């Protein structure tokens, strides 16, 4: 009888630990954490069944000890590594994630090397005003190998005998407002030059310092590099190349003790994304350079709707950059950083649908998630006998719907 009473209370303790751990993981749920969540649920079910069979008190105590060990090993977050003496190099700090990361890391006590395109620009002036003397601003266009090499020399001169702990590859470019067929080749090349080749150049240049420190490489990528978002072919292709390079690098640098992490943000208001003049300029450039035959087949109203959709999504993007900045800090200071971080709302659902549901469902989901186009290309409308007025009304209706749609859109 006494053994049964002891077993009962131990059963309550074990189930509280396991269920509490499972709930905690669900509250911070990410697709990358799926195996550990499943493991917790499996362990909870197994212990529940054992306890239902009135296990002996000795066995119940053993299960309690194992459960406590698992809880404190898996569920309790490890303390961050100390910041003191650590230096980090960050690209693309004129605005957005880079600017916010430079400020956060400087406030934490890091020695920050922040690259900007314009040393006299608003972003650089803001960093000089709010950051400490530890922060060093460097003018670097990452598509220019000579400037990257000079940045390495300047960084080494400032560090002296000290190590470079981290590299944050943040600089990126998205210049696309249309379908893959009529997107300008300059857009494809521009995205590849900055997002892939530029990041590749910086990473290779600074790798000797990072290997010496057994440090960290943190790269800001995009879900569009893993999923086929309509109208983001040039940007997505460059990020896909970047993702493969980063994953390969992660395997190769493991023996050196260098940790490599990739961050995949959801929709945030960064860079030129909320600049109306920027979108107008890109649209006019597209119209002027598009072959007349292709413009006739798609129709200017089709291109106009796409531009309006991009502007609408940019206006409703999240202005709070802290989810991304927090993951950067975790990747730099966690004893065991994650290989992939999903930063921002909506990504868990999107990755679950795209990873586990049939292709027909995931394709339809992506089409509805990003560009809810109403206007058909002009050539297709002629085949179906639709008038231009019908589609002009569709444009207005689509704009109203997109403004009322609060679901997360994926564009960096």
């Amino acid at each position: 009888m006494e053994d049964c009473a002891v077993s009962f209370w131990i059963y309550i303790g074990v189930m509280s630990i396991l269920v509490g751990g499972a709930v905690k993981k669900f509250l911070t749920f990410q697709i990358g954490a799926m195996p550990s969540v499943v493991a917790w649920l499996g362990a909870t079910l197994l212990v529940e069944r054992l306890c239902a069979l009135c296990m002996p008190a000795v066995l119940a105590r053993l299960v309690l000890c194992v459960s406590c060990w698992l809880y404190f090993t898996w569920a309790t977050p490890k303390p961050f590594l100390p910041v003191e003496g650590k230096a980090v190099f960050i690209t693309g700090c004129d605005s957005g994630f880079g600017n916010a990361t430079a400020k956060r890391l400087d406030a934490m006590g890091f020695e920050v090397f922040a690259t900007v395109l314009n040393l006299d620009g608003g972003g650089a002036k803001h960093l000089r005003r709010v950051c400490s003397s530890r922060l060093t601003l460097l003018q670097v266009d990452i598509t220019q190998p000579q400037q990257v090499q000079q940045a390495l020399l300047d960084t080494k001169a400032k560090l002296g005998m000290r190590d470079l702990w981290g590299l944050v590859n943040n600089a990126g470019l998205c210049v696309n407002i249309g379908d893959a067929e009529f997107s300008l080749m300059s857009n494809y090349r521009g995205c590849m030059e900055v997002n892939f080749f530029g990041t590749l150049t910086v990473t290779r240049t600074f790798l000797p310092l990072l290997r010496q420190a057994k440090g960290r490489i943190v790269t800001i990528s995009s879900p569009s590099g893993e999923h086929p978002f309509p109208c983001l072919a040039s940007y997505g292709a460059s990020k896909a190349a970047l993702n493969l390079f980063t994953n390969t690098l992660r395997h190769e640098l493991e023996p050196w003790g260098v940790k490599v992490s990739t961050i995949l943000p959801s929709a945030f208001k960064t860079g030129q994304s909320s600049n109306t003049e920027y979108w107008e300029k890109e649209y006019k450039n597209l119209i002027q350079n598009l072959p007349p035959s292709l413009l006739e087949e798609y129709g200017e109203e089709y291109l106009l709707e796409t531009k309006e959709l991009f502007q609408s999504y940019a206006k409703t993007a999240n202005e709070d950059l802290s989810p991304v900045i927090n993951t950067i800090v975790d990747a730099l200071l966690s004893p065991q950083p994650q290989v992939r971080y999903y930063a921002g709302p909506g990504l868990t659902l999107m990755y679950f649908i795209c990873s586990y549901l049939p292709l027909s469902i995931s394709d339809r989901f992506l089409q509805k998630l990003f560009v809810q186009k109403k206007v058909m290309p002009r050539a297709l409308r002629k085949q179906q006998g639709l008038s231009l007025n019908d589609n002009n009304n569709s444009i207005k209706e689509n704009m109203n719907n997109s403004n009322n749609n609060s679901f997360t859109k994926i564009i960096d």
Side-chain angles (χ1 to χ4, degrees), residues 211-404:
R211 286 192 287 103
Q212 181 178 332
K214 299 184 184 298
R216 305 290 171 85
I217 298 176
V218 183
T219 300
I220 310 298
S221 186
S222 170
S224 62
E226 300 185 332
H227 301 292
F229 287 98
C231 296
L232 283 180
S234 59
Y235 180 69
S238 67
K239 290 296 188 178
L242 178 62
N243 289 345
L244 184 58
F245 166 70
T246 303
N247 282 326
T248 302
L249 195 66
R250 176 172 59 84
H251 289 290
E252 295 172 349
L253 293 179
E254 185 176 357
W256 295 90
V258 178
K259 305 291 186 182
V260 180
S261 298
T262 300
I263 296 177
L264 303 165
S266 61
F268 290 91
K269 192 171 291 186
T270 61
Q272 298 283 355
S273 63
S274 57
N275 188 338
T276 302
E277 294 181 0
Y278 168 79
W279 292 113
E280 292 295 338
K281 179 181 177 182
E282 291 297 320
Y283 175 70
K284 290 179 181 178
N285 184 47
L286 176 63
I287 294 294
Q288 292 170 0
N289 290 279
L290 204 62
S293 59
L294 203 56
L295 180 59
E296 174 61 28
E297 290 196 349
Y298 276 93
E300 189 169 344
E301 60 279 358
Y302 181 87
L303 277 65
L304 177 62
E305 184 205 32
T306 305
K307 187 262 292 186
E308 296 291 342
L309 282 171
F310 268 76
Q311 284 185 294
S312 175
Y313 294 156
K315 289 178 181 178
T316 58
N318 193 354
E319 296 184 6
D320 179 15
L321 306 183
S322 60
V324 177
I325 311 308
N326 292 340
T327 58
I328 293 175
V329 172
D330 189 90
L332 288 172
L333 292 179
S334 173
Q336 293 296 326
Q338 298 178 31
V339 172
R340 296 157 62 85
Y341 290 88
Y342 303 90
L347 289 180
T348 298
L349 175 62
M350 188 200 75
Y351 270 86
F352 177 81
I353 291 175
C354 293
S355 300
Y356 297 101
L357 296 187
L359 188 62
S360 58
I361 296 177
S362 63
D363 282 350
R364 188 174 303 176
F365 175 77
L366 289 178
Q367 291 166 2
K368 296 294 184 181
L369 174 68
F370 186 58
V371 283
Q372 301 178 41
K373 297 186 69 65
K374 302 291 184 179
V375 178
M376 295 176 60
R378 183 177 293 171
L380 293 179
R381 296 202 306 272
K382 288 181 179 179
Q383 293 177 12
Q384 299 183 16
L386 297 176
S387 68
L388 291 180
N389 289 333
D390 292 337
N391 283 274
N392 288 334
N393 292 333
S394 295
I395 292 178
K396 295 179 181 178
E397 180 185 351
N398 192 30
M399 290 304 100
N400 291 332
N401 289 339
S402 63
N403 287 333
N404 292 330

